[in-house]
Amino acid sequence: MKRSLTLNSGAEMPIIGLGTYKLGLIEASQAVSYAIDAGYRHFDCAWFYGNEYNVGYAIREKIKQGVVKREDIFVTTKLWNNYHDKDRVIPMLKESVRNIKVGYVDLFLMHWPFGFKEIEPLWPLDEGEEAYSDVDYLETWEGMEEGVSMGLAKSIGVSNFNEEQLERLLENCKIKPAVNQIEVNPNMNQKKLIQFCKERDVMVTGYCPLGRKEYAGSPGFPDPTILDPKVIEIGKKYNKTAAQVILNYLVSLGISVIPKSVNKERIIENFDIFDFELSEEDVAYLDSCNKNQRVCTMDEFKTHKYYSF
Ligand SMILES: NC(=O)c1ccc[n+]([C@@H]2O[C@H](COP(=O)([O-])OP(=O)(O)OC[C@H]3O[C@@H](n4cnc5c(N)ncnc54)[C@H](OP(=O)(O)O)[C@@H]3O)[C@@H](O)[C@H]2O)c1
C-alpha cells in the first residue's frame, strides 16, 4: 500500500495525517508529539481551530530534538470564511505561517467555498443572510495563488467544493487546486466526487474518516460505522480494530485520511493500517454502508449562494 500521494504541484502528501479539530492547546502539542513518534508526518490544521501555534510548537520541538527535519513534515492549514476578500487572504496566510512557525505551510486550503462578512462572528448562526459575504471563491483563489508566489505555501487547494464549483475553479485559475478536502467515511464514501477529482488530477483528503463518533446517538446524526458490530467482527479476522478496518478501506479508495485523536494508543492504532488487505467480501460490506449521510452538513448556511451540498 502506498504511503503518500503525489500532488499536481509535485509535492508528496502522506496518506495518513493527524486531524487537529477540537484538540485543546496542550492536547494539540501532546497529540502531535505522540503522532510524530508513531510515524505521522502530515498534520491537518486550520486557523479556525485556534491551535495552530501548539501544533507547530510540537513539530519544532521534534525538529530541535533531531527526530524529524522540516522537509519530512507536511502541514496543511485553511483560510476561514470571514476572510474571503482577496486582499485578506495573504494577511491571514501570514498569520497562520506565524502561528505554526515552521517557515511555510505545505498546503493552504480554502476551508469552505462560501464566505461571511469580516465583521460578523466566525460562526454567524443567528445573523441570517445579512452575515454572508458574496465574494466569489474565484477571487479568493487569486489571493491564494499569490501565497504560492510569495513562498508562504508550497501547494494550494480547496475544501468542501462540489463538482460544479471545482470545475469552475479549474477553468478559471492560474494554479490548479492540488487537493479537495471533503468528508469521506463509510456512511458517505464519496466515490463519485473522488472519481471526478482523480480525473482532473486533484487529490482528495477525507475528513471525519471515523464519523466523529463523539456525537453518536445525537438526533439525526448518522451512526458511525466504527460502532457497527459487523465492522468490529471484520476487524477480528485481521487482528485489527474497527477504526483500522475503516481507515484501511478509505485509503484503498486512493485518498489520504486525517483521523483525529487525543489519545496516544488510538493515535498509534490509526497509523497502523498498512499491513493487511481486506477481502472482496469485506470491502463489499463497507461499500454497502454508504448512505450519503453527512456528519458535517453546515446546513445552517444552506441559503448561501455558494453552499456546496
Ligand atoms: N475541511 C473541513 O471542513 C473539515 C471538517 C471536519 C473535520 N476536518 C478535519 O478532519 C479531522 C478529522 O475529523 P473529526 O475530528 O471531525 O472526526 P474523526 O477523525 O472522524 O473522529 C474523531 C473521533 O473519533 C475518536 N477516535 C479516534 N481514533 C479512534 C480509534 N482508533 N478508536 C475509537 N475512536 C477513535 C476520537 O476520540 P479520541 O480523540 O478520544 O481518540 C474522536 O471522538 C479534523 O480533526 C479536522 O482536522 C476538516
Side-chain angles (χ1 to χ4, degrees):
M1 212 178 241
K2 283 199 333 187
R3 299 294 181 105
S4 69
L5 299 173
T6 307
L7 305 184
N8 60 27
S9 58
E12 288 292 317
M13 176 170 71
I15 278 180
I16 304 281
L18 182 75
T20 65
Y21 184 40
K22 298 231 168 117
L23 285 172
L25 301 184
I26 294 168
E27 285 174 348
S29 294
Q30 247 166 14
V32 171
S33 180
Y34 297 148
I36 290 179
D37 290 343
Y40 290 67
R41 297 294 179 262
H42 172 178
F43 299 93
D44 184 69
C45 309
W47 179 88
F48 180 73
Y49 304 163
N51 54 14
E52 286 173 313
Y53 177 82
N54 306 77
V55 172
Y57 175 82
I59 296 172
R60 290 199 309 280
E61 285 299 298
K62 289 291 176 191
I63 293 173
K64 261 195 239 158
Q65 292 162 15
V67 179
V68 283
K69 298 195 200 76
R70 171 63 186 95
E71 55 271 30
D72 302 331
I73 298 285
F74 189 96
V75 186
T76 300
T77 197
K78 314 186 192 87
L79 176 79
W80 188 243
N81 308 351
N82 296 62
Y83 308 106
H84 274 207
D85 282 348
K86 191 178 154 187
D87 58 1
R88 288 300 286 151
V89 175
I90 293 298
M92 291 311 293
L93 174 54
K94 281 187 175 162
E95 191 173 315
S96 284
V97 166
R98 256 196 316 269
N99 285 342
I100 304 171
K101 249 175 130 173
V102 289
Y104 57 88
V105 295
D106 295 275
L107 179 63
F108 183 46
L109 302 178
M110 196 185 314
H111 210 143
W112 292 89
F114 53 82
F116 306 140
K117 287 184 185 141
E118 191 175 346
I119 53 155
E120 293 293 337
L122 298 179
W123 199 280
L125 251 192
D126 303 315
E127 317 298 318
E129 293 177 29
E130 285 289 289
Y132 297 169
S133 135
D134 59 3
V135 173
D136 189 327
Y137 52 82
L138 295 182
E139 275 180 43
T140 313
W141 187 255
E142 285 175 23
M144 294 178 63
E145 289 176 328
E146 266 177 53
V148 176
S149 48
M150 291 172 75
L152 298 165
K154 296 280 183 207
S155 306
I156 50 177
V158 294
S159 178
N160 298 299
F161 270 48
N162 62 30
E163 287 185 12
E164 195 189 315
Q165 291 167 331
L166 195 58
E167 192 75 324
R168 183 166 171 259
L169 177 58
L170 285 164
E171 280 165 6
N172 291 283
C173 62
K174 288 201 207 80
I175 301 177
K176 271 173 80 165
V179 168
N180 189 14
Q181 184 178 122
I182 53 175
E183 177 172 342
V184 191
N185 51 56
N187 283 332
M188 180 78 206
N189 72 25
Q190 300 266 32
K191 284 197 174 178
K192 185 162 172 284
L193 185 50
I194 292 172
Q195 184 58 28
F196 181 90
C197 290
K198 274 191 192 157
E199 283 163 9
R200 285 151 185 83
D201 200 16
V202 176
M203 288 298 164
V204 168
T205 294
Y207 72 68
C208 296
L210 302 174
R212 217 179 244 179
K213 82 163 207 305
E214 66 268 30
Y215 293 110
S218 317
F221 191 81
D223 289 331
T225 328
I226 191 174
L227 303 175
D228 177 343
K230 182 117 195 232
V231 177
I232 297 169
E233 265 320 295
I234 291 175
K236 285 186 185 151
K237 283 201 275 183
Y238 304 92
N239 210 11
K240 294 285 170 184
T241 64
Q244 291 172 318
V245 167
I246 291 167
L247 295 171
N248 178 292
Y249 164 73
L250 297 177
V251 166
S252 76
L253 302 177
I255 65 169
S256 73
V257 286
I258 45 173
K260 169 261 168 190
S261 181
V262 71
N263 171 278
K264 187 175 179 182
E265 280 68 44
R266 290 192 285 278
I267 288 172
I268 293 170
E269 178 184 325
N270 295 344
F271 197 76
D272 180 20
I273 62 144
F274 293 105
D275 59 352
F276 68 111
E277 200 176 323
L278 293 166
S279 69
E280 268 179 40
E281 189 193 349
D282 295 335
V283 169
Y285 179 72
L286 287 155
D287 279 344
S288 77
C289 295
N290 187 45
K291 304 171 195 73
N292 291 320
Q293 274 184 334
R294 288 176 196 277
V295 165
C296 212
T297 62
M298 285 293 249
D299 59 4
E300 303 94 306
F301 308 115
K302 65 176 169 229
T303 53
H304 199 296
K305 71 179 195 187
Y306 297 126
Y307 182 74
S308 42
F309 306 148

